Amino acid sequence: MTSTHAFWLAGRQATGEDAFDVTSPWDGRLVGKVSIPTDAQVEEAVAAAYAVENEFAATPAHVRAAALDHVSKRLVERTEEIAQLISAENGKPIKWARGEVGRAVSVFRFAAEEARRFNGGEAQRLDTDAGGTGRLALTRRFPRGTILGIAPFNFPLNLCAHKVAPAIAVGAPIILKPAPATPLSGLILGELLAETDLPAGSWSVLPVANEKMPALVQDERLPVISFTGSEKVGYAIMDSVPRKHCTLELGGNGAAVVLADWSSDQDLDWAATRIATFSNYQAGQSCISVQRVIADASVYERLVPKIVAAVEAQVTGDPNDAGTDVGPLVNEDAAKRVESWVEEAVKAGATLLTGGKRDGASYAPTVLADVPADTTISCEEVFGPVLTVRRVEGEAEAFAAVNDSKFGLQAGVFTHDLQTAFRAHRELEVGGVIVGDVPSYRADQMPYGGVKQSGVGREGVRYAMDDYTYERVMVFTGLAL
């Protein structure tokens, strides 16, 4: 019999009156049962976080840093166990699950480092005008208050880490809500945090049902919301609480641009391999996966067959197999949605170059050409292992094609020319430009987020810490400067 996983309420384990099943999207087996907090328990967690705000903000930096270091080290020790759990509940191939644990290790380590140097205080002389004679301003940052962190299913450990670690680093309590499909990875973080000396009430991990979230979102004791997920849900949250501070990391329609100077066989082989890998890793369930390839006409005919061959070389199947590149989507409904979008595009005139087949929750890595601009797969985030290819004439048309999207998360530009790289940085309407590689590259310490419908605010440990805090100035008077 499978035991029921407790949740974490104000730093301690607790169970509610009901539970739900977590099943594998690969074979449907039961991975675990998770207890659901009652309304009273959710209230207890929020009240505890609100009550400890001042104490936690005043916690010495070395205490917060030590807790973050501890979690980082314990993740290393339990890497294989946690990777197996991610793969089981998410369907992610084990090699990518191991990589995710490694990234979470880094996130907590970066947060420990930042906690030690954060908020050193900036001094500013005010006697630059006569009225400021003898005055000195000292600016420091302070937590905005308790954070409601809402995490998605596609990176069930690392995107929880990106909510929790910066919050602890700045001394802000956090209520973490993991995704209903993949709560076990978030609960593991609770196990590791419980081994630290952080104040009771400074963190909770609550697998609350989605329909219960509006009340939490509206709660005035939770002035900061950090959400990663769909555009529709993210902006609905922001619209419902216009006076709260919201960080939204939403969808994308990632483009990889291959320009005319990226033309040697070695160049095109590299681009094709990277495009094939990162249009299909996590089964395409990454908001910076490659969804669009925009290639200069001078390289298009040579590049596309290389992409198709590299996509067809992706190994699909059992996520527990170390050789598997592409596993299932999170559930069969997600795969059916992808299937319907591809079918719509083909009926509208797109050419299917490879793939296009569904087997339960799995969808074959797919490449489409000649996709009409008004099809769903051109306009929306597919969040599946599907790639479109397009021919353009020159840099200006390529950059215009990237910008012809309501999304603006990241873009990749394959070029050797430094001036072109800087033009891309200036002209592309995205949060990040990756030169010489796909848009899917992310280092967890760099600023990460988008423009347009891809969200507001930035993740990346140091940048999330800024989002979780605000500047407060203190002015000294009568000083002999």
Side-chain angles (χ1 to χ4, degrees):
M1 178 176 290
T2 302
S3 61
T4 299
H5 294 262
F7 51 84
W8 294 91
L9 194 169
R12 72 179 193 278
Q13 282 191 309
T15 55
E17 297 170 355
D18 296 311
F20 65 94
D21 293 342
V22 178
T23 58
S24 165
W26 169 246
D27 56 15
R29 68 184 172 88
L30 180 64
V31 179
K33 298 179 74 71
V34 174
S35 185
I36 304 171
T38 64
D39 291 348
Q41 288 170 320
V42 172
E43 166 58 28
E44 183 181 349
V46 174
Y50 184 70
V52 82
E53 282 182 349
N54 290 337
E55 176 189 347
F56 195 30
T59 301
H62 72 87
V63 173
R64 287 178 274 119
L68 292 161
D69 273 331
H70 175 83
V71 174
S72 180
K73 292 173 183 175
R74 292 285 285 137
L75 285 169
V76 171
E77 293 170 358
R78 297 178 63 178
T79 291
E80 188 59 26
E81 170 201 348
I82 298 172
Q84 293 286 346
L85 182 63
I86 292 171
S87 184
E89 68 173 346
N90 173 275
K92 183 174 299 193
I94 188 64
K95 69 176 183 179
W96 294 117
R98 290 173 182 141
E100 180 174 349
V101 180
R103 289 181 61 187
V105 168
S106 296
V107 168
F108 278 93
R109 187 181 73 250
F110 295 150
E113 295 165 357
E114 294 293 350
R116 292 184 173 96
R117 58 177 170 252
F118 185 69
N119 213 0
E122 179 183 347
Q124 180 183 18
R125 293 181 66 137
L126 301 180
D127 60 356
T128 49
D129 283 325
T133 300
R135 296 180 185 268
L136 180 77
L138 179 68
T139 302
R140 296 164 61 199
R141 300 190 71 89
F142 294 87
R144 296 178 183 273
T146 299
I147 298 153
L148 174 59
I150 307 172
F153 70 82
N154 56 330
F155 290 86
L157 178 72
N158 196 42
L159 293 184
C160 286
H162 271 286
K163 310 299 182 191
V164 172
I168 293 171
V170 301
I174 182 165
I175 306 290
L176 175 69
K177 181 213 177 289
T182 57
L184 300 175
S185 301
L187 294 174
I188 283 282
L189 285 183
E191 289 184 33
L192 306 185
L193 289 168
E195 298 169 356
T196 71
D197 295 325
L198 294 175
S202 60
W203 60 274
S204 293
V205 183
L206 304 179
V208 180
N210 286 342
E211 58 267 23
K212 296 285 188 177
M213 288 307 295
L216 265 178
V217 167
Q218 293 288 337
D219 196 307
E220 293 183 358
R221 295 167 295 179
L222 305 173
V224 181
I225 298 175
S226 177
F227 171 85
T228 302
S230 73
E231 164 205 9
K232 179 181 178 181
V233 175
Y235 283 113
I237 288 172
M238 177 175 276
D239 291 344
S240 72
V241 286
R243 290 178 176 80
K244 289 196 177 191
H245 184 86
C246 294
T247 297
L248 306 179
E249 199 279 282
L250 307 178
N253 191 343
V257 177
V258 184
L259 294 176
D261 69 306
W262 199 271
S263 59
S264 71
D265 287 340
Q266 183 179 8
D267 284 344
L268 297 179
D269 286 343
W270 162 258
T273 299
R274 298 293 285 177
I275 288 166
T277 298
F278 288 99
S279 62
N280 293 293
Y281 85 127
Q282 330 288 339
Q285 297 171 123
S286 168
C287 46
I288 47 175
S289 68
V290 186
Q291 184 170 333
R292 298 181 290 158
V293 174
I294 299 165
D296 189 89
S298 64
V299 299
Y300 182 89
E301 296 296 340
R302 294 166 57 212
L303 175 64
V304 171
K306 291 177 182 287
I307 290 174
V308 171
V311 167
E312 290 177 342
Q314 295 284 299
V315 178
T316 63
D318 186 349
N320 296 305
D321 188 330
T324 297
D325 299 308
V326 186
L329 281 81
V330 69
N331 54 45
E332 188 169 359
D333 285 345
K336 287 180 178 178
R337 176 188 55 77
V338 172
E339 180 181 45
S340 70
W341 288 14
V342 171
E343 289 176 350
E344 176 203 20
V346 171
K347 287 178 182 177
T351 302
L352 179 67
L353 300 182
T354 190
K357 297 178 180 178
R358 180 179 67 83
D359 181 9
S362 295
Y363 196 80
T366 297
V367 182
L368 296 168
D370 310 313
V371 181
D374 60 350
T375 57
T376 306
I377 215 161
S378 289
C379 304
E380 301 294 336
E381 178 182 36
V382 65
F383 225 58
V386 179
L387 179 67
T388 68
V389 293
R390 173 180 175 181
R391 182 198 316 258
V392 294
E393 298 286 348
E395 175 192 308
E397 186 179 347
F399 289 179
V402 174
N403 291 339
D404 186 22
S405 172
K406 67 180 180 178
F407 296 109
L409 193 47
Q410 292 196 161
V413 180
F414 289 89
T415 182
H416 295 292
D417 187 80
L418 187 61
Q419 294 292 347
T420 300
F422 273 89
R423 281 195 298 273
H425 197 204
R426 182 176 65 248
E427 296 177 15
L428 296 182
E429 298 166 356
V430 293
V433 177
I434 314 300
V435 178
D437 206 350
V438 291
S440 317
Y441 176 79
R442 178 184 181 183
D444 291 286
Q445 71 271 38
M446 78 184 197
Y448 177 74
V451 296
K452 299 193 284 191
Q453 298 301 301
S454 288
V456 295
R458 290 295 180 267
E459 288 194 341
V461 175
R462 179 64 174 80
Y463 304 90
M465 290 167 69
D466 285 343
D467 250 336
Y468 290 172
T469 56
Y470 69 98
E471 293 176 319
R472 185 187 299 167
V473 64
M474 177 169 59
V475 176
F476 295 95
T477 303
L479 300 180
L481 298 174

